């Protein structure tokens, strides 16, 4: 995996319970490009003048299950906690 490919790099992972009983994994993925923008550009779906989202302070974009981009790992984790939490994050 690399920052510039579709899979990106896993920078955080954890487990949450679906329906309070079924263990599910979750991952925060870092990439060096805006996946949504690049996909829309390739498919010819961008609005005229539409630009990629601004990257986070470290120049990266963070995603969780196709959602994002988030500006940093903490913001991605926070979204994850709100959507599926609580999440037990791996060390």
């Amino acid at each position: 995996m690399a920052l510039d490919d579709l899979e990106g790099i896993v920078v955080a992972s954890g487990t949450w319970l679906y329906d309070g009983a079924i263990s599910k994994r979750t991952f925060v993925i870092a990439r060096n490009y805006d996946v949504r923008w690049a996909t829309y550009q390739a498919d010819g779906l961008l609005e005229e003048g539409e630009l990629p989202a601004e990257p986070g302070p470290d120049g990266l974009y963070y995603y969780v299950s196709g959602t994002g981009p988030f500006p940093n790992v903490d913001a991605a984790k926070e979204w994850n906690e709100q959507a599926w939490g609580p999440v037990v994050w791996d060390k």
Side-chain angles (χ1 to χ4, degrees):
M1 288 187 289
L3 285 170
D4 60 353
D5 68 21
L6 187 57
E7 294 194 24
I9 294 177
V10 175
V11 294
S13 60
T15 305
W16 60 282
L17 294 177
Y18 174 79
D19 202 23
I22 302 168
S23 182
K24 295 286 192 175
R25 298 288 292 157
T26 185
F27 302 95
V28 176
I29 308 294
R31 295 186 181 98
N32 63 1
Y33 67 101
D34 181 346
V35 173
R36 181 198 153 284
W37 187 89
T39 302
Y40 280 33
Q41 180 187 42
D43 292 343
L45 300 174
L46 290 176
E47 299 291 326
E48 187 172 329
E50 188 174 352
L51 300 173
E54 288 291 320
D58 60 1
L60 299 176
Y61 300 85
Y62 296 88
Y63 295 85
V64 177
S65 297
T67 302
F70 299 98
N72 55 51
V73 174
D74 290 337
K77 283 182 168 182
E78 183 179 313
W79 180 89
N80 214 334
E81 293 279 348
Q82 290 176 8
W84 298 313
V87 176
V88 177
W89 296 101
D90 301 336
K91 300 292 179 209

